[in-house]
Amino acid sequence: MVDSQYYLPNDIGISALDCREAFRLLSPQEKMYAHYLSRASWYGGLVVLLQTSPESANIFVLLQRIFRKETPEELEKVAATVGLSSEEYKAFLVYAAGLYANMGNYKSFGDTKFVPNLPKDKLEALVRASQAFQEKPVEMEALWNNSSTLIFSLEDRQKQLGLGDKGITTYFSGNCTLEDAELAQRFLDSKKLSAYNTRLFKRSDGGKVCYEVRLASAETSCGTFTFEDKEFIVKRGDYCPLMEKVCFYLQQAEAYAANENQQKMLEQYRHSFNFGSVESHKEGSRFWIKDKGPIVESYIGFIESYRDPFGSRGEFEGFVAVVNKAMSERFTKLVSSAEVLLSELPWPQEFEKDTFLKPDFTSLDVLTFAGSGIPAGINIPNYDDIRQSEGFKNVSLGNVLAVAYATQKEKLTFLKEEDKDLFIKWKGPSFEVQVGLHELLGHGSGKLFVQDHKGKLNFNKDKVINPETGELVSSWYQGSETWDSKFSTIASSYEECRAECVGLYLCLNKEVLRIFGLEGQDAEDVVYINWLSMVRAGLLGLEFYTPESKNWRQAHMQARFVILRVLLEAGEGLVGLKEVVGHDGKPDAQITLDRTKIHTVGKHAIQRFLCKLQVFKSTADVEGGRALYDGYSSVGDSGANNFLRLRETVLLRKEARKMFVQANTKVNGDHVELVEYESSAAGLIRSFTERFQEDADQLEADLLELTAFEEPISLKDGFSLQHQI
């Protein structure tokens, strides 16, 4: 029997993202713009297959070839003839849908591998009986042989993503260690290169070590450098055919741009993906920030660094969405109050940005979100220098929130019965408040103390006092150092924790609650459920901890566990966590929160912790920040709570994360059609097979070529880093 955490259950929730009305209201020009941006996003999203595991692209091609020849309904008849039960066939469909939804065979939320919940010989029989196999047996045999072992393998290292012996990653070659990642970061810093769009491969030639840094781009070229007595080859052309498709569709979208900012934005994005230039992407992001209040909102590129084990490399994502004007009004009011609210945060004024650059904050209905998963809210761009001095945008994904957090009472774990109805009633509104505060005033707050390449400081080192030590600030970011490069492996989770704490702290403000239409008892109930949701999420977070490697696999859930630990430590009966026996006779747990102590004990605990988080971040104090964060992140079996045993209870009662079915767009003459699919595994599969119909054979050939590791490269003349610098 396979451990249930390594397969997707047959009853997993699958929901369609509804954007029909939002799309209908677009003008013909806006629909064309949205269509071509969606095409660019979908092709770019395939990069994630190559960023996840060595086998993901092979499995994707195998599934595409099977389902392009036979629909899930047609294949079900074939499955019956080779001996699959209806449950086994459904398990296969759920596995296929899961691979598409996660863009790989590792969960996007938690980074654990998932395998088909049926015997390997049954799946092989189905593959061999498929029409695709019958028509091209040699090709399909090779594809099956190349992927079948890894489809089912659950060796310890393959159970989760990670660096070296801790897991699987394709951001680095399998022989890379943390020391190699640190060396590569120093090399990149020395060349003023960002790691966002890179991968690192270590070669050994006759005992001599050589590092290959691959830049994602359509153009190909390479050059060699010596750094710390090691040879570094910097090579453009990673994901080349996919980057070419992204550039092609971005160029098509330009013709339908609504204004000059959008045109210049797309030009810079194309230059970035053509030449592997992060600087061009940053320039495109500047035009994106200036594009205030667009009807069709989008962003595309190597964005979030959650899944890079070192925390510096971005996973590709692209989204296209339509602004929901009614829902956006609340967020606009929140932006208007931001400067007042920022002054309430628990750190000295010197630790806050000199000027708050009011961002766009909109509620969007997602048309397309290509990548490994779909978040509820986003604060971008992630470039510190732009966020600190030029601004950012916030988005809340309304149609994602509408379905992702709908909860059934019988599936609500670890709460008292009397809390469950209140939780169901207020979970949605409380999460809307938390997302708004988290994105705008969490990720949007706080200053980084920086000394630039010319030696200029952005703060007065002779006057600014560190509130944790009472002494002058003694450390800061220097030169090309960034938050991600400096705090590396803890950066993502630490920042999510800081933003979550800001949400908890500021949701206690009555003016914030009024902005969201909440007053009186309703407002108090939303505060209670928001805090209760957080402590429950902290317990649920244990699912995403691996005891064998003492490693956290999901940034947000680690952050929520840390907050649970902080609130338990606050004492005075604020939070209770006890192990109990469930109605089914199996181990269970119960979380309680004393709502009368949230505004006192709870607020004080978050206030102190949040100040520490910000001070360590502002001052680039990696040692202090890591000691604090790792301390609260530790999961042990001693003390008041046996968290290792509680983890087993959480795994016993966990619910699988929902998957989303997204629509396609199709040009028909001079107008664009929206093609929708049913909320099922079959509907999700059909959406992907129809998504890449026009060049399926070539695309699949490209993916198979890209997934094979290349031979050591020969150097070409004329390589220059100018497009990056």
Side-chain angles (χ1 to χ4, degrees):
M1 291 291 291
V2 175
D3 189 324
S4 65
Q5 67 176 309
Y6 298 114
Y7 65 79
L8 305 176
N10 280 7
D11 64 352
I12 191 170
I14 301 177
S15 299
L17 276 186
D18 181 13
C19 60
R20 184 187 309 166
E21 183 63 13
F23 187 78
R24 185 185 68 80
L25 293 172
L26 295 179
S27 70
Q29 177 182 339
E30 290 162 349
K31 287 179 180 178
M32 283 290 189
Y33 182 66
H35 166 74
Y36 287 115
L37 286 176
S38 292
R39 301 305 292 156
S41 297
W42 285 123
Y43 277 94
L46 296 173
V47 165
V48 179
L49 293 165
L50 303 159
Q51 292 181 306
T52 300
S53 70
E55 66 272 15
S56 286
N58 277 335
I59 304 170
F60 177 88
V61 172
L62 178 71
L63 295 173
Q64 286 290 87
R65 289 185 175 174
I66 289 172
F67 288 115
R68 281 201 292 117
K69 291 295 181 180
E70 292 168 288
T71 66
E73 292 75 19
E74 292 167 340
L75 193 64
E76 185 171 16
K77 298 171 185 173
V78 178
T81 65
V82 294
L84 270 72
S85 69
S86 60
E87 284 300 298
E88 287 171 334
Y89 182 66
K90 186 172 184 181
F92 168 61
L93 292 187
V94 166
Y95 174 78
L99 186 116
Y100 288 130
N102 291 278
M103 269 291 101
N105 60 335
Y106 286 75
K107 295 175 187 175
S108 63
F109 200 86
D111 294 343
T112 48
K113 187 173 185 177
F114 58 93
V115 301
N117 189 23
L118 71 158
K120 183 178 178 181
D121 60 340
K122 293 268 185 98
L123 180 54
E124 181 172 0
L126 177 59
V127 170
R128 292 183 179 279
S130 68
Q131 187 179 332
F133 198 102
Q134 300 301 311
E135 291 183 5
K136 294 187 176 179
V138 176
E139 289 183 23
M140 290 294 286
E141 177 90 42
L143 203 48
W144 172 255
N145 290 340
N146 283 339
S147 50
S148 58
T149 299
L150 286 173
I151 286 175
F152 284 91
S153 174
L154 282 173
E155 293 180 14
D156 284 347
R157 186 183 171 200
Q158 290 166 352
K159 287 179 178 177
Q160 65 282 315
L161 299 179
L163 183 59
D165 59 3
K166 289 190 173 182
I168 296 297
T169 180
T170 49
Y171 288 105
F172 298 87
S173 54
N175 57 351
C176 281
T177 63
L178 180 60
E179 290 72 27
D180 295 315
E182 290 170 341
L183 171 63
Q185 187 64 55
R186 292 196 299 275
F187 166 72
L188 292 169
D189 287 345
S190 76
K191 297 296 181 185
K192 299 185 179 67
L193 287 171
S194 169
Y196 265 119
N197 63 344
T198 70
R199 294 195 289 171
L200 181 71
F201 295 83
K202 184 165 76 169
R203 312 263 185 227
S204 184
D205 185 11
K208 183 182 178 183
V209 173
C210 171
Y211 294 93
E212 179 180 316
V213 176
R214 298 183 186 173
L215 303 181
S217 66
E219 294 290 320
T220 58
S221 60
C222 59
T224 185
F225 307 85
T226 300
F227 180 78
E228 295 187 13
D229 297 324
K230 298 289 192 300
E231 184 180 22
F232 276 82
I233 297 168
V234 180
K235 180 187 177 188
R236 284 198 187 95
D238 208 7
Y239 323 120
C240 170
L242 298 178
M243 293 295 96
E244 287 176 347
K245 297 292 283 190
V246 172
C247 290
F248 171 78
Y249 283 116
L250 289 178
Q251 189 166 24
Q252 303 300 304
E254 272 182 53
Y256 300 97
N259 54 55
E260 188 179 7
N261 277 325
Q262 288 183 359
Q263 288 176 334
K264 289 182 176 178
M265 170 188 82
L266 295 176
E267 283 174 13
Q268 292 295 329
Y269 288 166
R270 281 199 295 114
H271 191 272
S272 170
F273 301 139
N274 256 321
F275 296 103
S277 169
V278 171
E279 285 302 318
S280 292
H281 194 270
K282 288 170 78 170
E283 195 60 30
S285 298
R286 290 184 173 100
F287 288 115
W288 179 70
I289 293 167
K290 293 174 186 174
D291 184 29
K292 301 287 188 184
I295 300 299
V296 177
E297 184 62 281
S298 68
Y299 198 61
I300 188 169
F302 295 87
I303 312 300
E304 302 292 354
S305 57
Y306 301 126
R307 299 181 95 189
D308 168 19
F310 190 65
S312 295
R313 288 154 187 80
E315 184 176 74
F316 196 97
E317 68 180 45
F319 77 83
V320 184
V322 182
V323 173
N324 182 322
K325 291 182 179 178
M327 287 288 288
S328 297
E329 284 181 15
R330 290 177 181 175
F331 296 124
T332 302
K333 290 178 183 175
L334 190 63
V335 171
S336 298
S337 304
E339 288 171 280
V340 173
L341 295 170
L342 282 171
S343 67
E344 293 193 14
L345 290 173
W347 48 77
Q349 184 180 347
E350 294 87 354
F351 285 73
E352 191 47 68
K353 293 173 185 171
D354 301 332
T355 307
F356 181 71
L357 301 163
K358 290 187 177 181
D360 253 14
F361 197 166
T362 49
S363 177
L364 306 176
D365 287 335
V366 172
L367 170 64
T368 295
F369 206 112
S372 65
I374 309 178
I378 317 172
N379 174 287
I380 37 182
N382 285 335
Y383 304 118
D384 289 330
D385 50 345
I386 294 179
R387 290 158 67 98
Q388 289 281 316
S389 59
E390 298 175 60
F392 53 90
K393 282 186 182 182
N394 292 281
V395 297
S396 174
L397 305 179
N399 58 343
V400 176
L401 283 168
V403 294
Y405 297 96
T407 310
Q408 295 174 302
K409 188 173 180 178
E410 60 271 18
K411 291 187 176 182
L412 259 184
T413 52
F414 311 130
L415 295 180
K416 295 187 299 182
E417 282 301 316
E418 54 264 38
D419 280 334
K420 289 184 178 180
D421 287 333
L422 203 64
F423 190 95
I424 289 169
K425 179 179 180 181
W426 293 113
K427 172 60 176 169
S430 72
F431 198 69
E432 185 184 15
V433 172
Q434 180 68 12
V435 167
L437 295 171
H438 173 115
E439 300 297 347
L440 176 66
L441 298 164
H443 293 314
S445 66
K447 180 174 182 173
L448 302 184
F449 297 147
V450 177
Q451 184 174 30
D452 66 20
H453 291 287
K454 297 177 181 177
K456 184 181 178 183
L457 291 159
N458 69 343
F459 70 105
N460 188 336
K461 69 182 179 68
D462 297 321
K463 288 188 177 180
V464 178
I465 300 294
N466 182 327
E468 294 300 313
T469 64
E471 299 173 356
L472 290 171
V473 165
S474 58
S475 58
W476 48 83
Y477 299 85
Q478 299 185 37
S480 58
E481 289 178 343
T482 66
W483 162 249
D484 280 333
S485 70
K486 193 81 174 164
F487 280 70
S488 64
T489 54
I490 66 166
S492 291
S493 184
Y494 187 111
E495 173 60 12
E496 293 305 330
C497 187
R498 195 183 68 88
E500 291 284 44
C501 286
V502 168
L504 287 181
Y505 190 72
L506 290 180
C507 82
L508 302 177
N509 184 296
K510 289 184 177 179
E511 183 53 40
V512 166
L513 297 165
R514 271 193 215 98
I515 289 170
F516 286 88
L518 300 162
E519 296 191 71
Q521 188 60 44
D522 288 353
E524 286 302 313
D525 285 346
V526 161
V527 168
Y528 176 59
I529 295 305
N530 194 35
W531 279 62
L532 183 62
S533 295
M534 188 63 69
V535 293
R536 177 176 180 263
L539 179 60
L540 296 177
L542 287 168
E543 176 190 342
F544 303 95
Y545 177 76
T546 304
E548 294 78 12
S549 61
K550 297 183 178 179
N551 196 44
W552 282 92
R553 307 185 312 275
Q554 215 293 318
H556 298 80
M557 299 311 282
Q558 179 184 357
R560 291 158 187 163
F561 176 77
V562 165
I563 292 169
L564 170 63
R565 291 283 309 275
V566 168
L567 294 177
L568 282 167
E569 183 183 83
E572 298 187 47
L574 173 68
V575 172
L577 172 57
K578 63 180 181 179
E579 297 179 64
V580 297
V581 176
H583 295 303
D584 56 4
K586 296 177 181 178
D588 207 339
Q590 189 175 88
I591 279 274
T592 55
L593 173 69
D594 187 339
R595 66 189 296 164
T596 68
K597 295 177 179 176
I598 292 173
H599 286 267
T600 52
V601 180
K603 182 178 181 180
H604 179 71
I606 292 297
Q607 182 179 41
R608 287 289 305 119
F609 183 60
L610 185 51
C611 185
K612 289 180 181 180
L613 289 175
Q614 182 57 49
V615 168
F616 289 136
K617 181 181 180 182
S618 290
T619 59
D621 184 353
V622 180
E623 188 177 328
R626 190 175 287 277
L628 175 75
Y629 203 67
D630 286 349
Y632 282 111
S633 296
S634 65
V635 178
D637 55 5
S638 59
N641 298 108
N642 185 331
F643 287 115
L644 284 174
R645 191 166 62 218
L646 280 164
R647 177 181 174 272
E648 296 301 317
T649 302
V650 170
L651 289 173
L652 177 70
R653 300 188 178 278
K654 72 183 179 72
E655 182 184 1
R657 197 170 174 85
K658 285 181 181 175
M659 298 191 289
F660 297 109
V661 183
Q662 298 184 58
N664 284 322
T665 53
K666 184 170 68 175
V667 174
N668 189 347
D670 60 355
H671 67 281
V672 181
E673 295 177 355
L674 187 71
V675 184
E676 297 176 287
Y677 303 89
E678 64 182 31
S679 298
S680 67
L684 204 160
I685 291 165
R686 194 174 293 111
S687 73
F688 269 89
T689 52
E690 293 184 7
R691 194 158 282 148
F692 303 105
Q693 279 180 320
E694 58 204 56
D695 60 349
D697 291 330
Q698 183 59 54
L699 177 64
E700 290 162 13
D702 288 340
L703 284 170
L704 293 179
E705 188 174 342
L706 287 169
T707 199
F709 282 165
E710 299 167 12
E711 293 298 313
I713 58 180
S714 59
L715 299 181
K716 299 177 183 177
D717 293 332
F719 181 86
S720 166
L721 292 179
Q722 66 181 354
H723 291 298
Q724 265 272 43
I725 299 169

